[in-house]
């Protein structure tokens, strides 16, 4: 069997950490951690919920800056009202996505809508960070938004439903223009279901279990765990050997550059981080209009 037709093996299975973000909402985070600071080109995966919130309990992320990377906000349940210093305003409702290219710098907030705050309800979302290469860290900020109906969905013969956020798989392509070649898929597996994907040799790939229990051909993946796959083939598979499961599939072309990060800034050097902080302090990333 050649490398291109081989099925990727599992390098390691990572247990998530539990922490808090924004105004104090809990997140489950497979990375970054001390053992896995990033998986090029992906910098972070945070899962919020699923959690049932009472009226007044919903929290968000008050105004904060970003520079040097892109954020993917995928709202599976609930809603988020986004606003930024470039004047973009959009509510992302259940099934929708905001793809924010911070680039040269932007100030952004992500808050529950007044309606959701008042009524409460089920909240479940993902926040994914994707790095930008040095040559693109100064591109103008850009906000792209897609509703649930804009995301292609494929049902496979193997008992999987695939919602494609970015990249191409199973004959469909996600709606976003991306600076870095990536594949981002929300995979819902029926009990006993199986899905197969491909990524070019040399691209990193991983599987994060959002709910239930999943498996690769050589590893068991409990709820909340992340499988880091080897670069020893193009094909990789995931299945739900017991009950139904949901899995986030991520693959992308490594950038292969130094990563310097501090809070909301991701650059190549510490000096660039200091410059980003100074630029933010001077208001050069703009202010949120009120």
């Amino acid at each position: 069997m050649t490398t291109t037709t081989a099925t990727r093996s599992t390098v390691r299975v990572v247990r998530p950490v539990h922490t808090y973000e924004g105004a104090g909402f809990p997140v489950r985070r497979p990375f970054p951690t001390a053992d896995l600071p990033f998986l090029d080109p992906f910098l972070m995966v945070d899962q919020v919920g699923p959690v049932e919130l009472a009226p007044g309990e919903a929290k968000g992320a008050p105004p904060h800056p970003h520079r040097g990377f892109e954020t993917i906000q995928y709202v599976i349940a609930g809603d988020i009202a986004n606003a930024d210093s470039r004047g973009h305003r959009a509510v992302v409702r259940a099934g929708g996505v905001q793809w924010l290219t911070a680039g040269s710098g932007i100030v952004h907030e992500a808050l529950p809508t007044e309606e959701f705050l008042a009524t409460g309800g089920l909240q479940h979302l993902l926040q994914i960070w994707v790095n930008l290469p040095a040559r693109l860290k100064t591109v103008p900020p850009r906000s792209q938004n897609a509703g649930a109906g804009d995301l292609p969905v494929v049902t496979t013969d193997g008992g999987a439903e695939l919602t494609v956020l970015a990249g191409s798989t199973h004959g469909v392509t996600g709606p976003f223009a991306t600076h870095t070649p990536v594949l981002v898929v929300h995979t819902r597996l029926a009990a006993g279901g199986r899905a197969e994907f491909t990524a070019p040799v040399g691209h990193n790939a991983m599987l994060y279990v959002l709910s239930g229990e999943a498996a690769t051909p050589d590893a068991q993946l409990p709820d909340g765990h992340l499988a880091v796959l080897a670069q020893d083939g193009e094909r990789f598979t995931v299945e739900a050997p017991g009950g139904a499961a949901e899995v986030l599939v991520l693959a992308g072309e490594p950038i292969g550059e130094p990563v310097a990060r501090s809070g909301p800034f991701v650059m190549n050097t510490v000096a660039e981080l200091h410059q980003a902080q100074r630029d933010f302090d001077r208001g050069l990333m703009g202010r949120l209009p009120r």
Side-chain angles (χ1 to χ4, degrees), residues 64-96:
H64 55 280
H66 289 308
R67 173 179 280 182
F69 64 102
E70 301 185 279
T71 69
I72 308 168
Q73 177 195 91
Y74 176 34
V75 178
I76 301 171
D79 60 37
I80 295 290
N82 293 288
D84 64 50
S85 55
R86 303 283 289 193
H88 304 129
R89 289 184 176 273
V91 174
V92 181
R93 303 194 185 278

Side-chain angles (χ1 to χ4, degrees), residues 171-231:
V172 300
T173 300
F176 297 103
T178 67
H179 287 293
T180 306
V182 294
L183 177 67
V184 182
V185 183
H186 181 185
T187 303
R188 297 174 174 88
L189 297 166
R194 179 179 181 275
E196 180 175 293
F197 302 89
T198 62
V201 173
H203 283 211
N204 284 322
M206 69 194 95
L207 304 164
Y208 172 62
V209 183
L210 298 169
S211 66
E213 295 185 359
T216 64
D218 57 356
Q220 297 298 311
L221 307 178
D223 184 14
H225 285 55
L226 175 86
V228 179
L229 305 180
Q231 295 183 358

Side-chain angles (χ1 to χ4, degrees), residues 120-285:
L122 182 64
Q123 184 183 59
H124 189 196
L125 61 95
L126 292 171
Q127 178 84 349
I128 304 164
W129 287 11
V130 184
N131 201 10
L132 287 170
R135 62 184 177 82
L136 296 177
K137 287 187 180 295
T138 56
V139 296
R142 176 181 65 181
S143 177
Q144 303 176 77
N145 293 274
D150 301 317
L151 302 177
V153 179
V154 176
T155 301
T156 72
D157 294 337
E161 181 183 274
L162 314 178
T163 300
V164 182
L165 281 66
S168 298
T169 189
H170 293 76
V172 300
T173 300
F176 297 103
T178 67
H179 287 293
T180 306
V182 294
L183 177 67
V184 182
V185 183
H186 181 185
T187 303
R188 297 174 174 88
L189 297 166
R194 179 179 181 275
E196 180 175 293
F197 302 89
T198 62
V201 173
H203 283 211
N204 284 322
M206 69 194 95
L207 304 164
Y208 172 62
V209 183
L210 298 169
S211 66
E213 295 185 359
T216 64
D218 57 356
Q220 297 298 311
L221 307 178
D223 184 14
H225 285 55
L226 175 86
V228 179
L229 305 180
Q231 295 183 358
D232 51 1
E234 286 190 343
R235 298 168 51 244
F236 58 96
T237 63
V238 62
E239 60 183 355
E246 297 185 45
V247 177
L248 175 68
V249 176
L250 297 175
E253 181 178 25
I255 295 171
E257 296 177 350
V259 173
R261 63 194 299 172
S262 177
F265 306 127
V266 182
M267 306 302 293
N268 296 100
T269 68
V270 172
E272 290 170 339
L273 290 178
H274 293 161
Q275 186 62 55
Q277 186 64 55
R278 287 193 295 268
D279 289 347
F280 169 63
D281 292 342
R282 294 168 58 196
L284 299 182
M285 297 182 191

